Structures are given as structure tokens and as C-alpha cells.
Amino acid sequence: MMSRAERTPLTDWWWTVDRGLLAGLGALMVAGLVFLMGGGPPVAERIGLPTFYFLNRQALYLAPTLVIIVAVSFLSLRHIRRVALGTWLLGVTLCILAGKFGPEIKGAHRWIQFGSFGLQPSEFVKPAFVVVAAWAFSEGAQRRDMPGGFMAILLLPITIVPLILQPDFGQTMLITIVWCSLFFVAGLHWFWVAGLGAGGLLGVAVAYQFLHHVRERITRFLDKDSGDSFQEFWARESFNSGGWLGTGPGEGVAKRHLPDAHTDFIFSVTGEEFGVVVCLGLVCLFAYIVMRGLKLARRTDDTFSRLAITGLTTLFGLQACINMAVNVRLMPAKGMTLPFVSYGGSSLISLALGMGFLVALTRKRPRTTTLSQKPPGTAPATVAGVMR
């Protein structure tokens, strides 16, 4: 047990970090390994890999995931901004390169190959973009000589245009919604909220008109007889088969038909083998982490920290909601993973970066430390300052 009397970096970290948030993230990682034991083996056997290939790889990825979360959580606010800016610049550059030179997978160019290792740069862009946008909004609120609001507005097209060209409509939509939430928290007038909502609907309409895969997914969602709804059918059947208490670990049938049972549709596999009760428990765990983050955001006095915590929490919760909504057929398929539960190296490492930022931002800091990291000559934060 660490004593408060010991003055070491580790003990200072332990007594200032939010342990409830860490416990929730740890529980998610353990749950992901348990659920992957059901969803991973059928997919591995189908493509000629060892039975527990995906489970072993996921456990291997968890080691650097934990290291990244802890290491990033030691960062000061100044270093968080620097790391996020560097990651965002590198991620956007790699997204452009992936769109031009990356391999085509399922009709999109989203990956960068480094030998046998594949990387999806858009996963790393998301948390970095949130922190950089929060930084821009906070600077606009605190300094009248800084065009922070304009910079924050400019960040969005710079980020999503390379994603649209890949194309990756799901990540584009996720980043745009999180950006809108930041804009609203920073002091956006209701008039602009309505305008952004109308712009979002217009964007969906344009994507439906000109992007074939978007039109196909939306049409198939609205009319299941209009095309191949194989995955959606078995995702729905998995919940029907599992009922409230499930068929038991390893006894599921739907996972043998779902091509993405270990990634996009692991929530459906969990519903069949462990039942709706466990799925509701998983929903509550995600809700706890989101509510914990928003509560901590409300407590902080620093504008940048409040915006960044809100954005990272919204990003995390919204991604989980989209994945689960697709699994229960409330949304068209998006190809989005369930945080810390679905298999995926890029997803895990990028989530580790985002949650490391979140843990660092939610640490208890002396008020003098927080204020000393603001540029000299700054004015008190004002809600309306962002729009100037």
C-alpha cells in the first residue's frame, strides 16, 4: 500500500489519479479478453489460424496498452498538448498516404503497411484531434488576440477530408459529432447548433447520393430485403438465441456465421453466450466511465481541461454506443470497434493514448499548477469568447 507520506513520482501519481476511472478501464480490458474467448476462435479456425490466435494477440497488445495509459497519464497539461499536436499532424499525414498508397480492404484505403504490421492512422487521429480542438477552443475563450475559434473550425475539414477520401464515413461522422459537442460546450449559441445539425443532415444526404457503399448500407438497413443482410441477420439471431441468461460460454452458434465476430459484432456474440443481462452490465460499465469522466470535467476550473475531458469522454462513449447500436440493428453497419472489447491492435493502442490523456487531465492538480500553465496576460475564460 502506498503511503501519502512518501514523496515519489509514483506515489504522487497514485494519490492524484482517479482510481475509479482506472478501475472501470481495467474491468473493460478483462471483460474484452473473456468475451474474445467466445468470438475469436471460430473466426481464427475459419481462416486457418490457431484457435486462440486473436485472444493471444489481444493479450499481447494489452501490455503496451497499459504502459501507454500509465506513461501518458504522467504528462503535464503542456506536454499533453504537445504530444496531441504531434500525433495529430503525423496521423493526418499517414491518413493522406493511406488514401493514396494503402492497400484496398473492403473497398477502402485505410491502412498503412509496415512489413507484416498494419496500422490504421485514423484511430490515432481521433483522440489527438479532440485534445488539439479543445486547446484551440480554450485559447479562443481566454485570449482575445488569439483566433482560437477560427483555428478550431479550420481543424475539422483538415481532419475529415483525408478520411472522406479513403473513404471512412464512420470515423468522419464520429469526429464531426465530437467536434460539435466541443463547440457546444465551449459556448455555441443554439442558432449555430441548429445550423450544424442541418449541415450534418446535408452531409449524410450528399454521402448517400455520391458514395455507393454508404447508399448500400443505409438502403440495406431500411429495407433488409434490398441486399445482403447476412451479418445483420445473425447479429439479431444471436440475441434471440441467447435470451436473458445466454447459451453458455463457447456454446454460441451465430458466431460461426459472423465474419467479424471478434471485432464489430463481438457484442452480439456476448449476447448469445452470456445473455442480455451481461450485455446490460457491459452497457452500465461504459455508462459509468462516461459519467465519471463528465463529472470530473464539471469539477475542473481549467477551460482546456474541461473541454478536453468532455471531448475524450464523448468520443469514448459515442464509439461504444455506435457499435452496440449496430449490433442490435438500431443503426446501419459502421465498421466501428467496441472500445477495449473488440480485437484490434490499432484500436487498443489508440484507445490507450486517448484514455491516457483522459487520466492525465483528470488528475488532481493544485490550482496554482493549473493556472501557471496558462500563457501570461490571459483573460478569464468566457463562454462567448469562442465566437469572437
Side-chain angles (χ1 to χ4, degrees):
M1 191 69 178
M2 296 185 185
S3 170
R4 287 182 182 268
E6 297 180 19
R7 300 298 299 178
T8 66
L10 184 60
T11 54
D12 287 344
W13 175 84
W14 177 251
W15 289 110
T16 57
V17 79
D18 189 81
R19 295 187 290 277
L21 189 61
L22 283 179
L25 295 174
L28 264 186
M29 295 179 199
V30 174
L33 289 177
V34 173
F35 299 147
L36 196 58
M37 291 179 67
V43 180
E45 293 171 359
R46 191 184 307 132
I47 59 179
L49 295 173
T51 302
F52 293 105
Y53 173 83
F54 294 114
L55 178 64
N56 294 335
R57 297 271 291 185
Q58 187 83 340
L60 186 65
Y61 285 134
L62 280 179
T65 296
L66 292 171
V67 171
I68 291 173
I69 290 177
V70 174
V72 173
S73 67
F74 275 89
L75 296 177
S76 65
L77 298 184
R78 182 179 294 108
H79 288 103
I80 289 172
R81 291 190 283 259
R82 290 176 178 176
V83 171
L85 180 60
T87 304
W88 178 76
L89 290 171
L90 180 60
V92 171
T93 302
L94 290 177
C95 282
I96 295 172
L97 294 176
K100 287 183 174 293
F101 307 109
E104 182 176 342
I105 300 175
K106 297 182 180 179
H109 301 266
R110 303 173 185 171
W111 293 81
I112 291 286
Q113 288 295 138
F114 299 97
S116 60
F117 177 74
L119 179 73
Q120 189 175 0
S122 61
E123 292 286 349
F124 296 89
V125 168
K126 292 186 296 185
F129 168 79
V130 170
V131 175
V132 174
W135 183 13
F137 277 127
S138 65
E139 289 297 310
Q142 296 168 1
R143 300 177 59 179
R144 295 185 178 183
D145 60 330
M146 175 68 71
F150 175 75
M151 292 170 61
I153 293 172
L154 194 61
L155 281 171
L156 182 64
I158 293 175
T159 304
I160 65 174
V161 167
L163 299 180
I164 294 172
L165 296 177
Q166 288 183 350
D168 193 342
F169 186 70
Q171 301 285 21
T172 300
M173 183 183 71
L174 179 61
I175 288 175
T176 303
I177 294 176
V178 174
W179 180 87
C180 290
S181 71
L182 279 176
F183 211 159
F184 176 72
V185 174
L188 180 65
H189 192 275
W190 282 105
F191 173 80
W192 294 104
V193 173
L196 286 174
L201 292 175
L202 179 61
V204 172
V206 171
Y208 179 84
Q209 184 68 31
F210 295 102
L211 297 179
H212 173 72
H213 74 284
V214 173
R215 181 168 60 252
E216 183 181 351
R217 287 185 178 184
I218 294 178
T219 303
R220 191 167 62 235
F221 172 74
L222 297 174
D223 181 9
K224 63 181 180 179
D225 297 325
S226 62
D228 181 17
S229 57
F230 181 80
Q231 291 208 112
E232 291 81 356
F233 170 78
W234 282 108
R236 184 174 63 253
E237 282 300 306
S238 64
F239 289 103
N240 294 335
S241 174
W244 285 100
L245 300 178
T247 58
E251 300 299 322
V253 175
K255 64 185 181 183
R256 304 190 182 279
H257 301 276
L258 286 167
D260 299 319
H262 61 314
T263 54
D264 300 352
F265 289 93
I266 196 168
F267 189 66
S268 298
V269 175
T270 302
E272 182 177 23
E273 298 193 349
F274 295 91
V276 174
V277 172
V278 171
C279 286
L280 291 175
L282 188 60
V283 171
C284 290
L285 182 56
F286 278 110
Y288 166 76
I289 295 172
V290 171
M291 296 304 295
R292 186 77 179 176
L294 294 177
K295 182 179 180 181
L296 293 169
R298 187 178 179 183
R299 287 179 178 177
T300 184
D301 295 325
D302 181 60
T303 305
F304 163 69
S305 297
R306 182 170 63 253
L307 289 172
I309 293 170
T310 301
L312 290 168
T313 304
T314 303
L315 176 69
F316 178 83
L318 190 59
Q319 180 171 334
C321 286
I322 290 174
N323 177 277
M324 291 185 285
V326 168
N327 276 254
V328 296
R329 213 174 180 276
L330 291 177
M331 289 183 67
K334 286 286 182 295
M336 202 164 290
T337 58
L338 189 60
F340 291 116
V341 178
S342 297
Y343 169 80
S346 293
S347 175
L348 268 182
I349 301 302
S350 66
L351 283 165
L353 179 65
M355 292 302 100
F357 286 151
L358 181 61
V359 174
L361 289 162
T362 54
R363 286 179 60 186
K364 298 174 184 176
R365 304 177 191 272
R367 183 173 176 81
T368 54
T369 301
T370 302
L371 293 177
S372 67
Q373 300 197 50
K374 295 180 181 180
T378 58
T382 60
V383 171
V386 172
M387 297 307 297
R388 290 173 179 161

